[in-house]
Amino acid sequence: MKKYLYLLLLFHLSLNAQQERNTRENTIKSDTINTSKSIKFIGIPIAFYTPETEFAFGGGGQLFLLNKSNQYNARPSNILFSGIYTLNEQIMFEVKPQIYLGSGNYFIDASYLLEIYPNQFWGIGAKTPDENLEIYKQTTHALRLAFLKRLPPDLNFGFEYTFKNHDISEVEEDGILDSGSVLGGDRAVVSALGAIFNLDSRDNTGSPTSGQFLQAKAQFSTKLLGATSGFNKYVIDLRAYSVVNEKSTLATQIYAETNYGDIPFQSLASYGGGTRARGYFFGRFIDNHMYVVQAEYRYRFKPRWTAAAFGLIGEVAERPEKFFNSDTFKPSFGAGIRYKIFKDQDTYLRFDIGSGIDGNSGIYFGVNEAF
């Protein structure tokens, strides 16, 4: 599931008098009712806009288990759930438990996602033409379960299991997916074991101004676990946040993804979206391998207002040796503005406009930074 953006919190039913400064990057606090010391519940109406969904709305909630917190950064265990409907007739339901054990020395990070999702497909490759566009409808059940061990102060290491069942119910007649030449064109099951290693020294997760986030992941999907095909996925995500002066931050990211084996198109590296390649539709270009390098300068011109400008470059390729071909470079640039909702919490409303090449562009409205 994409990173959905939570804009408004209409009510806050609390079962705890304790106040946490950092809860989750997409949660906004409001009124509190104090009746307990272990549980807090927040109701969350949801609204956002991306090129992939157009306007989307729904609701959900977040349950905080305050007696199971991470002693290192004061983040409480929580269970987030949401239901969303979009003007593109997409339906999404998600449950995301994040549970700390041993005062934060161990971490369970899990999710279940149901998507009924009309989507767009242009084919596979770095130069697929716009006229290839076709619409398909897909139902996805996705389960992810990760168990991590903390190596103080900032290192985390663990293992992850991922299951995804993609069932395509409708494709365009005589289209690319209808031809049977695309793996996953009718159905795909991913069943994968993986390993995760990360270093996270960010001052906060939603709108960092200092620190680093360095993560490496390896995932192995195999028929022995019930997958329809076998493939390996490797991801490196390197982010750094530097304080330029008391009002300015420079954020940089290098993201690389490689896939080897028989890869269903749903699991290929996808270029675009509101986080890694603003200015391109998420999945406008897909292939075995991808890299994105982006930078964003953020200037706080008023205590609660920040202006941002960003630029990026990247591409997808069938093989890594085909990278850095001037014909397949996909740059983008753009700008936006952020508004800090509460004076004492680093939660921002974000509005961005991104522009790529060949008429690609996007408007993004949501909460907190793209990376």
Side-chain angles (χ1 to χ4, degrees):
M1 185 179 184
K2 302 178 184 70
K3 180 183 177 182
Y4 298 114
L5 306 171
Y6 304 95
L7 297 187
L8 299 175
L9 176 60
L10 297 184
F11 64 90
H12 180 173
L13 297 179
S14 175
L15 303 178
N16 191 324
Q18 177 182 353
Q19 296 294 318
E20 294 78 28
R21 175 168 180 159
N22 294 321
T23 55
R24 187 181 184 273
E25 60 182 303
N26 290 337
T27 301
I28 305 170
K29 297 182 180 179
S30 62
D31 297 333
T32 301
I33 300 174
N34 304 317
T35 61
S36 178
K37 293 184 178 181
S38 61
I39 297 175
K40 176 187 293 181
F41 177 75
I42 296 175
I44 310 173
I46 299 169
F48 61 90
Y49 181 94
T50 71
E52 297 81 29
T53 62
E54 295 187 1
F55 181 72
F57 56 90
Q62 193 165 21
L63 182 68
F64 293 96
L65 310 176
L66 301 176
N67 59 350
K68 293 185 178 295
S69 297
N70 186 337
Q71 64 178 332
Y72 301 100
N73 52 30
R75 297 173 188 170
S77 298
N78 67 91
I79 301 172
L80 175 72
F81 58 91
S82 61
I84 298 168
Y85 179 79
T86 82
L87 294 187
N88 280 345
E89 298 182 348
Q90 299 152 329
I91 298 172
M92 293 156 276
F93 173 76
E94 186 174 32
V95 179
K96 296 185 68 174
Q98 295 181 324
I99 308 299
Y100 294 101
L101 303 174
S103 299
N105 288 306
Y106 300 92
F107 179 46
I108 296 174
D109 186 14
S111 66
Y112 168 75
L113 170 67
L114 168 64
E115 283 185 334
I116 302 173
Y117 211 90
N119 209 344
Q120 301 182 31
F121 180 75
W122 287 266
I124 298 172
K127 301 177 71 173
T128 52
D130 290 339
E131 54 267 27
N132 275 12
L133 173 62
E134 57 186 66
I135 306 297
Y136 69 95
K137 293 184 179 181
Q138 176 175 271
T139 298
T140 295
H141 295 271
L143 174 68
R144 182 182 58 86
L145 178 62
F147 181 79
L148 286 82
K149 171 70 172 70
R150 185 179 184 91
L151 305 174
D154 299 317
L155 297 177
N156 300 277
F157 173 81
F159 299 94
E160 181 179 63
Y161 173 72
T162 300
F163 175 84
K164 296 180 180 180
N165 185 349
H166 304 287
D167 188 8
I168 293 184
S169 59
E170 185 177 329
V171 297
E172 292 191 9
E173 187 176 357
D174 298 324
I176 302 172
L177 293 175
D178 192 39
S179 69
S181 61
V182 177
L183 190 61
D186 55 354
R187 180 173 180 263
V189 175
V190 175
S191 185
L193 288 174
I196 306 171
F197 177 86
N198 70 50
L199 182 151
D200 188 355
S201 61
R202 294 171 293 178
D203 56 345
N204 68 79
T205 59
S207 302
T209 58
S210 64
Q212 297 177 329
F213 177 77
L214 313 175
Q215 178 167 268
K217 297 177 65 174
Q219 187 180 86
F220 311 97
S221 182
T222 172
K223 291 183 178 181
L224 295 175
L225 296 175
T228 50
S229 62
F231 68 94
N232 303 332
K233 180 187 292 287
Y234 305 94
V235 174
I236 294 176
D237 187 354
L238 310 177
R239 312 179 196 181
Y241 306 90
S242 302
V243 177
V244 179
N245 55 50
E246 62 176 305
K247 292 186 176 182
S248 302
T249 299
L250 178 64
T252 57
Q253 181 186 34
I254 299 174
Y255 179 91
E257 179 178 336
T258 62
N259 297 275
Y260 298 94
D262 297 323
I263 312 146
F265 81 91
Q266 297 94 334
S267 293
L268 291 170
S270 297
Y271 197 83
T275 56
R276 285 192 292 271
R278 284 164 287 179
Y280 295 88
F281 189 97
F282 181 78
R284 173 60 185 88
F285 300 98
I286 61 176
D287 215 322
N288 295 342
H289 311 282
M290 178 180 75
Y291 77 87
V292 178
V293 179
Q294 62 177 331
E296 182 169 283
Y297 178 75
R298 301 163 187 166
Y299 175 71
R300 190 178 69 255
F301 60 93
K302 287 189 175 181
R304 297 172 70 173
W305 289 92
T306 300
F310 64 88
L312 64 92
I313 193 166
E315 58 186 323
V316 298
E318 181 183 6
R319 297 189 301 274
E321 57 266 30
K322 290 189 175 183
F323 279 152
F324 311 113
N325 183 336
S326 60
D327 292 336
T328 58
F329 276 157
K330 295 172 175 57
S332 174
F333 64 92
I337 195 163
R338 292 91 172 93
Y339 174 72
K340 189 174 184 178
I341 300 171
F342 297 107
K343 293 181 179 181
D344 60 348
Q345 181 174 334
D346 292 319
T347 302
Y348 292 79
L349 292 180
R350 174 170 62 95
F351 177 81
D352 284 334
I353 298 176
S355 179
I357 59 174
D358 298 328
N360 288 282
S361 63
I363 296 174
Y364 309 89
F365 183 42
V367 166
N368 288 333
E369 300 295 351
F371 66 96

